[in-house]
Amino acid sequence: MNQTWVLNRKTKVYLESLGENWLKAGADSFGFRINGRTVYCIRSESYRDRASAKPTQEVIQTQQSIGLSNEFSSVAELLSISSRVRLGDSQNGTLFVDGLDGLTHQKRLDLDANFFGDTQQLQSDVDSISDELVEKQDQLVTLYQLSQTMRRHLEIQPLFSSLIVTLQSLFHSQGLFTLVSSGGLSPIVSAYPDNSLLDGNIIRALQEMHQEKESTIFNETDFEKIENLLFLPLHVKDPFQASFVFVNKLDGQFTTPDLKLAQLIGEQISAQFEYVQLHQELLNKAKLQAEADMARNVQMQLLPTTPPAIAGLDLFAQSKPASQVGGDFYVFLPDAPLPQFVLGDVSGKGMPAALLMTMLRSSFQSAARVNHNLDQLTADVLNDANRSMYGDFTAVEMFATAIVAAFDLETRELSYSNAGHSPVIYCPAGGNPEILPANGPAMGVVDMDVAGHDSIKLHPDDLFIICTDGFVEVWNEDGEMYGYDRLLELVSSIRHYSAMEIAIEMYMAIEEFSGTREQDDDQTLIVTKGVDHESK
Amino acid sequence: MIGTVSKLELDGRFDAYQAQGTKVWLKEEVEKMSGQGVKANILVDMSKVTFIDSAGLSALVVGIKKAREHGGTLHLFGLQQAVQIIFELSWLDKAFPIYITEDEATKAFNS
């Protein structure tokens, strides 16, 4: 350090007290020189009086007073002692006394010089410690602000922006660059407060440093506008990566303590970034979960497990969506000229299928209200619903299988129109269960009235089961599919149970078969069993 | 005529995992052919398909509807028995032109 020595107030007071003692002891003047330049001097009153009078007189009187010969032209030059002051650096300081000499005075001045040197050293130590303390206090305040800033922001972008200003003031840098990248993409470089320090070369160099993820200081650079820089990578969760670059320190160069502080802050910021990321993920997940729960509740309310009573039938219906919501549905239409029920399966899964399913359900309800031709009641209802939904099915690139069934208690005839739905199982009381094939294409496939129409008799103990492919396309741990044969065997073995018991057995059989393998399809069914009307 | 037919080969389990990509391919192919001013005739080789679910059927339904919109159609051939049964049960064997061999299916575009 080669600073210009400045006489501060405390030093001046100290020199004054030393000087006054010397003047009392008879000195003409006392002073302090740095590198040959007098920075402090005090003169005795008598000396000042003499100086204001004629110089020759002054000299003579002085010579007389101390008994020296007249031959010397300047007493001050003759009678003078000085002593070196150690200032602890390259400064060359001297205390001097004019108008006195002798060994005693010299010793006393040497003691003063030693003591003055020591106090100067202490003073400069104290000054630098206070400077450091002030600096540390500034840093602590900024760190506090930084942590407050971070806590206020729970989103990445605002957090990032608010950090910029605080960090720049903490490191006294002219500019701050940020590099942000995601995955293997090359990082985006931004500069604050403006782009004036950036050029192609520096960007390329920074991108390399960003890859290496090492915090570093450069106090000399080859870049035109960059004198020094501090590079600080943040350790954020993959695939994101971010780095801060402080450029051109305003008061000197970046130091190791700067780097350590930066690393410390970097760790704090990284932790906060991760916290923010995690918070966002959890928030999004919770939002999705809440929406899905709501959708599921709505859907479950649309599918009542207690169907309306239909005379001559024992009915049970249930739906278990594999995910939160699904495309399976059923609906009972008891007010039509004949009691009817519909079961359907919209292709696809999740929310799109669920939305289309609610529309389809409504279109069946509307169709049942307007169709009263008993000759082909179910076909009319199915054609109506298909016509009103065909455009929507095409637009969203989906289709649905569905079966509409109507029961006439008088004739015990169960008529049905099956738009591509399977499996539909018929099991007469004395016979074996069989699959009833569809008699028309799935809904949304053909824009024409092509619904077929068939009927069976449903006497007491006859079974008519409609379920979705979740009861057939179920896989076990060995990769085997449950399939139609197992399903028919199962129905045969439980045919004597009530509708509800049969449904429960079917769900249990599927669960047992799939074992630990998770079902990935909705399972929906309507079990219909003929019962004696009088006994019911 | 045969030169204007696009052929798609499917294999294994034709379920939700394969269906999405197939659906996209079919739509793009139909639009490409239509853009070149040819009938969007698509031939689908099903001989290696061991299983089809509703998502797979859905992709084919989208394909045939799209092809028909653009003056063409979609022919299937070589259905294995398990797949044939699914088509029959869902009545889709009547909605799709289904052929035994590739030759038959290709020639049928001319009729």
PDB file of all heavy atoms in Angstrom, chain A residues 160 179-183 185 187-188 207-214 231 233-243 273 277:
ATOM      1  N   PHE A 160     -35.545 -14.631  -9.082  1.00  0.00           N
ATOM      2  CA  PHE A 160     -34.339 -14.374  -9.841  1.00  0.00           C
ATOM      3  C   PHE A 160     -34.137 -12.870 -10.036  1.00  0.00           C
ATOM      4  O   PHE A 160     -33.078 -12.332  -9.759  1.00  0.00           O
ATOM      5  CB  PHE A 160     -34.489 -15.072 -11.194  1.00  0.00           C
ATOM      6  CG  PHE A 160     -33.198 -15.501 -11.791  1.00  0.00           C
ATOM      7  CD1 PHE A 160     -32.469 -16.530 -11.234  1.00  0.00           C
ATOM      8  CD2 PHE A 160     -32.706 -14.875 -12.920  1.00  0.00           C
ATOM      9  CE1 PHE A 160     -31.280 -16.935 -11.796  1.00  0.00           C
ATOM     10  CE2 PHE A 160     -31.518 -15.268 -13.485  1.00  0.00           C
ATOM     11  CZ  PHE A 160     -30.805 -16.305 -12.924  1.00  0.00           C
ATOM     12  N   LEU A 179     -26.728 -16.624 -16.400  1.00  0.00           N
ATOM     13  CA  LEU A 179     -26.838 -17.664 -17.433  1.00  0.00           C
ATOM     14  C   LEU A 179     -27.826 -18.704 -16.926  1.00  0.00           C
ATOM     15  O   LEU A 179     -27.675 -19.197 -15.806  1.00  0.00           O
ATOM     16  CB  LEU A 179     -25.489 -18.338 -17.680  1.00  0.00           C
ATOM     17  CG  LEU A 179     -24.427 -17.485 -18.371  1.00  0.00           C
ATOM     18  CD1 LEU A 179     -23.539 -16.826 -17.359  1.00  0.00           C
ATOM     19  CD2 LEU A 179     -23.599 -18.351 -19.315  1.00  0.00           C
ATOM     20  N   VAL A 180     -28.832 -19.003 -17.742  1.00  0.00           N
ATOM     21  CA  VAL A 180     -29.826 -19.991 -17.340  1.00  0.00           C
ATOM     22  C   VAL A 180     -29.994 -20.988 -18.466  1.00  0.00           C
ATOM     23  O   VAL A 180     -30.151 -20.602 -19.626  1.00  0.00           O
ATOM     24  CB  VAL A 180     -31.180 -19.313 -17.046  1.00  0.00           C
ATOM     25  CG1 VAL A 180     -32.205 -20.342 -16.611  1.00  0.00           C
ATOM     26  CG2 VAL A 180     -31.027 -18.263 -15.960  1.00  0.00           C
ATOM     27  N   SER A 181     -29.923 -22.277 -18.125  1.00  0.00           N
ATOM     28  CA  SER A 181     -30.139 -23.287 -19.166  1.00  0.00           C
ATOM     29  C   SER A 181     -31.004 -24.407 -18.624  1.00  0.00           C
ATOM     30  O   SER A 181     -31.144 -24.582 -17.416  1.00  0.00           O
ATOM     31  CB  SER A 181     -28.802 -23.844 -19.637  1.00  0.00           C
ATOM     32  OG  SER A 181     -28.134 -24.447 -18.562  1.00  0.00           O
ATOM     33  N   SER A 182     -31.598 -25.137 -19.537  1.00  0.00           N
ATOM     34  CA  SER A 182     -32.440 -26.275 -19.164  1.00  0.00           C
ATOM     35  C   SER A 182     -32.060 -27.438 -20.057  1.00  0.00           C
ATOM     36  O   SER A 182     -31.949 -27.279 -21.264  1.00  0.00           O
ATOM     37  CB  SER A 182     -33.900 -25.889 -19.351  1.00  0.00           C
ATOM     38  OG  SER A 182     -34.710 -26.987 -19.081  1.00  0.00           O
ATOM     39  N   GLY A 183     -31.849 -28.603 -19.445  1.00  0.00           N
ATOM     40  CA  GLY A 183     -31.457 -29.781 -20.215  1.00  0.00           C
ATOM     41  C   GLY A 183     -30.112 -29.530 -20.867  1.00  0.00           C
ATOM     42  O   GLY A 183     -29.246 -28.883 -20.311  1.00  0.00           O
ATOM     43  N   LEU A 185     -29.616 -27.739 -23.491  1.00  0.00           N
ATOM     44  CA  LEU A 185     -29.654 -26.555 -24.357  1.00  0.00           C
ATOM     45  C   LEU A 185     -28.601 -25.542 -23.933  1.00  0.00           C
ATOM     46  O   LEU A 185     -28.213 -25.478 -22.774  1.00  0.00           O
ATOM     47  CB  LEU A 185     -31.044 -25.910 -24.282  1.00  0.00           C
ATOM     48  CG  LEU A 185     -32.186 -26.815 -24.732  1.00  0.00           C
ATOM     49  CD1 LEU A 185     -33.523 -26.153 -24.492  1.00  0.00           C
ATOM     50  CD2 LEU A 185     -32.038 -27.169 -26.204  1.00  0.00           C
ATOM     51  N   PRO A 187     -27.041 -22.105 -22.720  1.00  0.00           N
ATOM     52  CA  PRO A 187     -27.659 -21.190 -21.758  1.00  0.00           C
ATOM     53  C   PRO A 187     -28.043 -19.830 -22.357  1.00  0.00           C
ATOM     54  O   PRO A 187     -27.398 -19.353 -23.286  1.00  0.00           O
ATOM     55  CB  PRO A 187     -26.578 -21.012 -20.700  1.00  0.00           C
ATOM     56  CG  PRO A 187     -25.312 -21.382 -21.372  1.00  0.00           C
ATOM     57  CD  PRO A 187     -25.639 -22.369 -22.412  1.00  0.00           C
ATOM     58  N   ILE A 188     -29.056 -19.238 -21.780  1.00  0.00           N
ATOM     59  CA  ILE A 188     -29.470 -17.893 -22.172  1.00  0.00           C
ATOM     60  C   ILE A 188     -28.718 -16.917 -21.276  1.00  0.00           C
ATOM     61  O   ILE A 188     -28.740 -17.044 -20.055  1.00  0.00           O
ATOM     62  CB  ILE A 188     -30.986 -17.720 -21.980  1.00  0.00           C
ATOM     63  CG1 ILE A 188     -31.724 -18.705 -22.895  1.00  0.00           C
ATOM     64  CG2 ILE A 188     -31.415 -16.286 -22.272  1.00  0.00           C
ATOM     65  CD1 ILE A 188     -33.163 -18.891 -22.532  1.00  0.00           C
ATOM     66  N   GLN A 207     -20.274 -19.192 -21.375  1.00  0.00           N
ATOM     67  CA  GLN A 207     -21.013 -20.444 -21.614  1.00  0.00           C
ATOM     68  C   GLN A 207     -20.144 -21.656 -21.266  1.00  0.00           C
ATOM     69  O   GLN A 207     -20.629 -22.651 -20.742  1.00  0.00           O
ATOM     70  CB  GLN A 207     -21.497 -20.491 -23.063  1.00  0.00           C
ATOM     71  CG  GLN A 207     -22.683 -19.538 -23.258  1.00  0.00           C
ATOM     72  CD  GLN A 207     -23.194 -19.488 -24.676  1.00  0.00           C
ATOM     73  OE1 GLN A 207     -22.488 -19.814 -25.609  1.00  0.00           O
ATOM     74  NE2 GLN A 207     -24.443 -19.066 -24.829  1.00  0.00           N
ATOM     75  N   GLU A 208     -18.838 -21.526 -21.546  1.00  0.00           N
ATOM     76  CA  GLU A 208     -17.931 -22.621 -21.175  1.00  0.00           C
ATOM     77  C   GLU A 208     -17.859 -22.774 -19.655  1.00  0.00           C
ATOM     78  O   GLU A 208     -17.916 -23.872 -19.120  1.00  0.00           O
ATOM     79  CB  GLU A 208     -16.521 -22.351 -21.720  1.00  0.00           C
ATOM     80  CG  GLU A 208     -16.265 -23.071 -23.028  1.00  0.00           C
ATOM     81  CD  GLU A 208     -14.894 -22.752 -23.577  1.00  0.00           C
ATOM     82  OE1 GLU A 208     -13.933 -22.772 -22.794  1.00  0.00           O
ATOM     83  OE2 GLU A 208     -14.805 -22.465 -24.791  1.00  0.00           O
ATOM     84  N   MET A 209     -17.710 -21.616 -18.971  1.00  0.00           N
ATOM     85  CA  MET A 209     -17.646 -21.659 -17.504  1.00  0.00           C
ATOM     86  C   MET A 209     -18.931 -22.243 -16.930  1.00  0.00           C
ATOM     87  O   MET A 209     -18.906 -22.980 -15.949  1.00  0.00           O
ATOM     88  CB  MET A 209     -17.445 -20.241 -16.952  1.00  0.00           C
ATOM     89  CG  MET A 209     -16.060 -19.703 -17.183  1.00  0.00           C
ATOM     90  SD  MET A 209     -15.856 -18.185 -16.225  1.00  0.00           S
ATOM     91  CE  MET A 209     -15.455 -17.045 -17.495  1.00  0.00           C
ATOM     92  N   HIS A 210     -20.055 -21.904 -17.569  1.00  0.00           N
ATOM     93  CA  HIS A 210     -21.363 -22.395 -17.131  1.00  0.00           C
ATOM     94  C   HIS A 210     -21.389 -23.926 -17.182  1.00  0.00           C
ATOM     95  O   HIS A 210     -21.947 -24.582 -16.307  1.00  0.00           O
ATOM     96  CB  HIS A 210     -22.430 -21.800 -18.055  1.00  0.00           C
ATOM     97  CG  HIS A 210     -23.832 -22.136 -17.682  1.00  0.00           C
ATOM     98  ND1 HIS A 210     -24.459 -21.592 -16.582  1.00  0.00           N
ATOM     99  CD2 HIS A 210     -24.752 -22.948 -18.268  1.00  0.00           C
ATOM    100  CE1 HIS A 210     -25.699 -22.066 -16.515  1.00  0.00           C
ATOM    101  NE2 HIS A 210     -25.894 -22.888 -17.510  1.00  0.00           N
ATOM    102  N   GLN A 211     -20.750 -24.484 -18.234  1.00  0.00           N
ATOM    103  CA  GLN A 211     -20.686 -25.943 -18.367  1.00  0.00           C
ATOM    104  C   GLN A 211     -19.853 -26.542 -17.229  1.00  0.00           C
ATOM    105  O   GLN A 211     -20.160 -27.596 -16.715  1.00  0.00           O
ATOM    106  CB  GLN A 211     -20.024 -26.331 -19.701  1.00  0.00           C
ATOM    107  CG  GLN A 211     -20.829 -25.957 -20.928  1.00  0.00           C
ATOM    108  CD  GLN A 211     -22.164 -26.657 -20.971  1.00  0.00           C
ATOM    109  OE1 GLN A 211     -22.279 -27.797 -20.549  1.00  0.00           O
ATOM    110  NE2 GLN A 211     -23.201 -25.972 -21.437  1.00  0.00           N
ATOM    111  N   GLU A 212     -18.746 -25.850 -16.899  1.00  0.00           N
ATOM    112  CA  GLU A 212     -17.808 -26.421 -15.932  1.00  0.00           C
ATOM    113  C   GLU A 212     -18.278 -26.307 -14.484  1.00  0.00           C
ATOM    114  O   GLU A 212     -17.813 -27.039 -13.607  1.00  0.00           O
ATOM    115  CB  GLU A 212     -16.427 -25.781 -16.103  1.00  0.00           C
ATOM    116  CG  GLU A 212     -15.711 -26.358 -17.310  1.00  0.00           C
ATOM    117  CD  GLU A 212     -14.498 -25.544 -17.701  1.00  0.00           C
ATOM    118  OE1 GLU A 212     -13.975 -24.827 -16.842  1.00  0.00           O
ATOM    119  OE2 GLU A 212     -14.099 -25.628 -18.873  1.00  0.00           O
ATOM    120  N   LYS A 213     -19.170 -25.372 -14.227  1.00  0.00           N
ATOM    121  CA  LYS A 213     -19.804 -25.233 -12.903  1.00  0.00           C
ATOM    122  C   LYS A 213     -18.789 -25.023 -11.764  1.00  0.00           C
ATOM    123  O   LYS A 213     -18.913 -25.646 -10.707  1.00  0.00           O
ATOM    124  CB  LYS A 213     -20.643 -26.465 -12.571  1.00  0.00           C
ATOM    125  CG  LYS A 213     -21.804 -26.725 -13.495  1.00  0.00           C
ATOM    126  CD  LYS A 213     -22.637 -27.859 -12.950  1.00  0.00           C
ATOM    127  CE  LYS A 213     -23.623 -28.379 -13.939  1.00  0.00           C
ATOM    128  NZ  LYS A 213     -24.346 -29.529 -13.452  1.00  0.00           N
ATOM    129  N   GLU A 214     -17.749 -24.229 -11.989  1.00  0.00           N
ATOM    130  CA  GLU A 214     -16.763 -23.969 -10.935  1.00  0.00           C
ATOM    131  C   GLU A 214     -16.803 -22.490 -10.590  1.00  0.00           C
ATOM    132  O   GLU A 214     -16.721 -21.650 -11.485  1.00  0.00           O
ATOM    133  CB  GLU A 214     -15.353 -24.296 -11.452  1.00  0.00           C
ATOM    134  CG  GLU A 214     -15.096 -25.761 -11.693  1.00  0.00           C
ATOM    135  CD  GLU A 214     -14.411 -26.408 -10.511  1.00  0.00           C
ATOM    136  OE1 GLU A 214     -13.816 -25.681  -9.709  1.00  0.00           O
ATOM    137  OE2 GLU A 214     -14.498 -27.646 -10.394  1.00  0.00           O
ATOM    138  N   PHE A 231     -17.180 -15.528 -11.023  1.00  0.00           N
ATOM    139  CA  PHE A 231     -18.155 -16.452 -11.605  1.00  0.00           C
ATOM    140  C   PHE A 231     -18.733 -17.356 -10.529  1.00  0.00           C
ATOM    141  O   PHE A 231     -17.987 -18.003  -9.794  1.00  0.00           O
ATOM    142  CB  PHE A 231     -17.487 -17.299 -12.691  1.00  0.00           C
ATOM    143  CG  PHE A 231     -18.460 -18.144 -13.448  1.00  0.00           C
ATOM    144  CD1 PHE A 231     -19.140 -17.639 -14.546  1.00  0.00           C
ATOM    145  CD2 PHE A 231     -18.725 -19.441 -13.037  1.00  0.00           C
ATOM    146  CE1 PHE A 231     -20.058 -18.408 -15.223  1.00  0.00           C
ATOM    147  CE2 PHE A 231     -19.656 -20.214 -13.707  1.00  0.00           C
ATOM    148  CZ  PHE A 231     -20.319 -19.695 -14.806  1.00  0.00           C
ATOM    149  N   PRO A 233     -21.520 -20.388 -10.012  1.00  0.00           N
ATOM    150  CA  PRO A 233     -22.563 -21.307 -10.477  1.00  0.00           C
ATOM    151  C   PRO A 233     -23.515 -21.657  -9.326  1.00  0.00           C
ATOM    152  O   PRO A 233     -23.072 -21.739  -8.176  1.00  0.00           O
ATOM    153  CB  PRO A 233     -21.770 -22.542 -10.912  1.00  0.00           C
ATOM    154  CG  PRO A 233     -20.523 -22.494 -10.113  1.00  0.00           C
ATOM    155  CD  PRO A 233     -20.283 -21.079  -9.661  1.00  0.00           C
ATOM    156  N   LEU A 234     -24.789 -21.810  -9.620  1.00  0.00           N
ATOM    157  CA  LEU A 234     -25.755 -22.233  -8.593  1.00  0.00           C
ATOM    158  C   LEU A 234     -26.009 -23.720  -8.755  1.00  0.00           C
ATOM    159  O   LEU A 234     -26.025 -24.225  -9.868  1.00  0.00           O
ATOM    160  CB  LEU A 234     -27.073 -21.482  -8.758  1.00  0.00           C
ATOM    161  CG  LEU A 234     -27.001 -19.967  -8.648  1.00  0.00           C
ATOM    162  CD1 LEU A 234     -28.389 -19.371  -8.817  1.00  0.00           C
ATOM    163  CD2 LEU A 234     -26.432 -19.558  -7.302  1.00  0.00           C
ATOM    164  N   HIS A 235     -26.210 -24.398  -7.638  1.00  0.00           N
ATOM    165  CA  HIS A 235     -26.468 -25.833  -7.730  1.00  0.00           C
ATOM    166  C   HIS A 235     -27.955 -26.064  -7.607  1.00  0.00           C
ATOM    167  O   HIS A 235     -28.472 -26.287  -6.532  1.00  0.00           O
ATOM    168  CB  HIS A 235     -25.682 -26.577  -6.664  1.00  0.00           C
ATOM    169  CG  HIS A 235     -24.215 -26.342  -6.809  1.00  0.00           C
ATOM    170  ND1 HIS A 235     -23.447 -27.004  -7.741  1.00  0.00           N
ATOM    171  CD2 HIS A 235     -23.387 -25.474  -6.203  1.00  0.00           C
ATOM    172  CE1 HIS A 235     -22.208 -26.566  -7.673  1.00  0.00           C
ATOM    173  NE2 HIS A 235     -22.145 -25.633  -6.749  1.00  0.00           N
ATOM    174  N   VAL A 236     -28.651 -25.950  -8.729  1.00  0.00           N
ATOM    175  CA  VAL A 236     -30.090 -26.153  -8.717  1.00  0.00           C
ATOM    176  C   VAL A 236     -30.410 -27.510  -9.317  1.00  0.00           C
ATOM    177  O   VAL A 236     -29.576 -28.131  -9.964  1.00  0.00           O
ATOM    178  CB  VAL A 236     -30.845 -25.025  -9.468  1.00  0.00           C
ATOM    179  CG1 VAL A 236     -30.852 -23.768  -8.634  1.00  0.00           C
ATOM    180  CG2 VAL A 236     -30.232 -24.736 -10.814  1.00  0.00           C
ATOM    181  N   LYS A 237     -31.659 -27.929  -9.079  1.00  0.00           N
ATOM    182  CA  LYS A 237     -32.077 -29.271  -9.462  1.00  0.00           C
ATOM    183  C   LYS A 237     -32.068 -29.424 -10.986  1.00  0.00           C
ATOM    184  O   LYS A 237     -32.504 -28.530 -11.696  1.00  0.00           O
ATOM    185  CB  LYS A 237     -33.498 -29.482  -8.939  1.00  0.00           C
ATOM    186  CG  LYS A 237     -33.762 -30.844  -8.379  1.00  0.00           C
ATOM    187  CD  LYS A 237     -35.038 -30.775  -7.568  1.00  0.00           C
ATOM    188  CE  LYS A 237     -36.056 -31.758  -8.006  1.00  0.00           C
ATOM    189  NZ  LYS A 237     -37.343 -31.559  -7.377  1.00  0.00           N
ATOM    190  N   ASP A 238     -31.538 -30.548 -11.452  1.00  0.00           N
ATOM    191  CA  ASP A 238     -31.590 -30.831 -12.878  1.00  0.00           C
ATOM    192  C   ASP A 238     -33.031 -30.803 -13.330  1.00  0.00           C
ATOM    193  O   ASP A 238     -33.912 -31.100 -12.552  1.00  0.00           O
ATOM    194  CB  ASP A 238     -30.994 -32.228 -13.140  1.00  0.00           C
ATOM    195  CG  ASP A 238     -29.476 -32.182 -13.080  1.00  0.00           C
ATOM    196  OD1 ASP A 238     -28.938 -31.060 -13.180  1.00  0.00           O
ATOM    197  OD2 ASP A 238     -28.866 -33.238 -12.914  1.00  0.00           O
ATOM    198  N   PRO A 239     -33.318 -30.482 -14.559  1.00  0.00           N
ATOM    199  CA  PRO A 239     -32.396 -30.185 -15.651  1.00  0.00           C
ATOM    200  C   PRO A 239     -32.003 -28.711 -15.716  1.00  0.00           C
ATOM    201  O   PRO A 239     -31.345 -28.301 -16.646  1.00  0.00           O
ATOM    202  CB  PRO A 239     -33.241 -30.554 -16.873  1.00  0.00           C
ATOM    203  CG  PRO A 239     -34.640 -30.208 -16.474  1.00  0.00           C
ATOM    204  CD  PRO A 239     -34.729 -30.443 -14.993  1.00  0.00           C
ATOM    205  N   PHE A 240     -32.397 -27.921 -14.686  1.00  0.00           N
ATOM    206  CA  PHE A 240     -32.083 -26.503 -14.747  1.00  0.00           C
ATOM    207  C   PHE A 240     -30.663 -26.244 -14.279  1.00  0.00           C
ATOM    208  O   PHE A 240     -30.137 -26.950 -13.439  1.00  0.00           O
ATOM    209  CB  PHE A 240     -33.057 -25.696 -13.876  1.00  0.00           C
ATOM    210  CG  PHE A 240     -34.465 -25.819 -14.340  1.00  0.00           C
ATOM    211  CD1 PHE A 240     -35.369 -26.607 -13.650  1.00  0.00           C
ATOM    212  CD2 PHE A 240     -34.892 -25.171 -15.488  1.00  0.00           C
ATOM    213  CE1 PHE A 240     -36.663 -26.749 -14.094  1.00  0.00           C
ATOM    214  CE2 PHE A 240     -36.188 -25.310 -15.931  1.00  0.00           C
ATOM    215  CZ  PHE A 240     -37.076 -26.098 -15.237  1.00  0.00           C
ATOM    216  N   GLN A 241     -30.072 -25.185 -14.831  1.00  0.00           N
ATOM    217  CA  GLN A 241     -28.745 -24.783 -14.396  1.00  0.00           C
ATOM    218  C   GLN A 241     -28.687 -23.275 -14.500  1.00  0.00           C
ATOM    219  O   GLN A 241     -29.139 -22.707 -15.482  1.00  0.00           O
ATOM    220  CB  GLN A 241     -27.704 -25.442 -15.293  1.00  0.00           C
ATOM    221  CG  GLN A 241     -26.329 -25.476 -14.660  1.00  0.00           C
ATOM    222  CD  GLN A 241     -25.292 -25.968 -15.648  1.00  0.00           C
ATOM    223  OE1 GLN A 241     -25.582 -26.794 -16.491  1.00  0.00           O
ATOM    224  NE2 GLN A 241     -24.106 -25.439 -15.541  1.00  0.00           N
ATOM    225  N   ALA A 242     -28.111 -22.630 -13.455  1.00  0.00           N
ATOM    226  CA  ALA A 242     -28.033 -21.174 -13.468  1.00  0.00           C
ATOM    227  C   ALA A 242     -26.682 -20.735 -12.934  1.00  0.00           C
ATOM    228  O   ALA A 242     -26.090 -21.402 -12.083  1.00  0.00           O
ATOM    229  CB  ALA A 242     -29.147 -20.590 -12.624  1.00  0.00           C
ATOM    230  N   SER A 243     -26.168 -19.609 -13.457  1.00  0.00           N
ATOM    231  CA  SER A 243     -24.913 -19.044 -12.958  1.00  0.00           C
ATOM    232  C   SER A 243     -25.051 -17.528 -12.882  1.00  0.00           C
ATOM    233  O   SER A 243     -25.766 -16.927 -13.679  1.00  0.00           O
ATOM    234  CB  SER A 243     -23.751 -19.365 -13.896  1.00  0.00           C
ATOM    235  OG  SER A 243     -23.658 -20.744 -14.125  1.00  0.00           O
ATOM    236  N   PHE A 273     -33.907 -21.862  -4.450  1.00  0.00           N
ATOM    237  CA  PHE A 273     -34.400 -22.223  -5.784  1.00  0.00           C
ATOM    238  C   PHE A 273     -35.028 -23.614  -5.751  1.00  0.00           C
ATOM    239  O   PHE A 273     -36.097 -23.840  -6.295  1.00  0.00           O
ATOM    240  CB  PHE A 273     -33.246 -22.210  -6.802  1.00  0.00           C
ATOM    241  CG  PHE A 273     -33.096 -20.909  -7.521  1.00  0.00           C
ATOM    242  CD1 PHE A 273     -33.291 -19.704  -6.861  1.00  0.00           C
ATOM    243  CD2 PHE A 273     -32.776 -20.870  -8.866  1.00  0.00           C
ATOM    244  CE1 PHE A 273     -33.151 -18.499  -7.507  1.00  0.00           C
ATOM    245  CE2 PHE A 273     -32.632 -19.664  -9.529  1.00  0.00           C
ATOM    246  CZ  PHE A 273     -32.809 -18.475  -8.850  1.00  0.00           C
ATOM    247  N   GLN A 277     -38.781 -24.597  -6.519  1.00  0.00           N
ATOM    248  CA  GLN A 277     -39.150 -25.593  -7.524  1.00  0.00           C
ATOM    249  C   GLN A 277     -40.075 -26.648  -6.927  1.00  0.00           C
ATOM    250  O   GLN A 277     -41.101 -27.000  -7.491  1.00  0.00           O
ATOM    251  CB  GLN A 277     -37.897 -26.281  -8.064  1.00  0.00           C
ATOM    252  CG  GLN A 277     -37.258 -25.548  -9.228  1.00  0.00           C
ATOM    253  CD  GLN A 277     -35.967 -26.230  -9.624  1.00  0.00           C
ATOM    254  OE1 GLN A 277     -34.969 -26.135  -8.930  1.00  0.00           O
ATOM    255  NE2 GLN A 277     -35.977 -26.941 -10.719  1.00  0.00           N
TER     256      GLN A 277
END
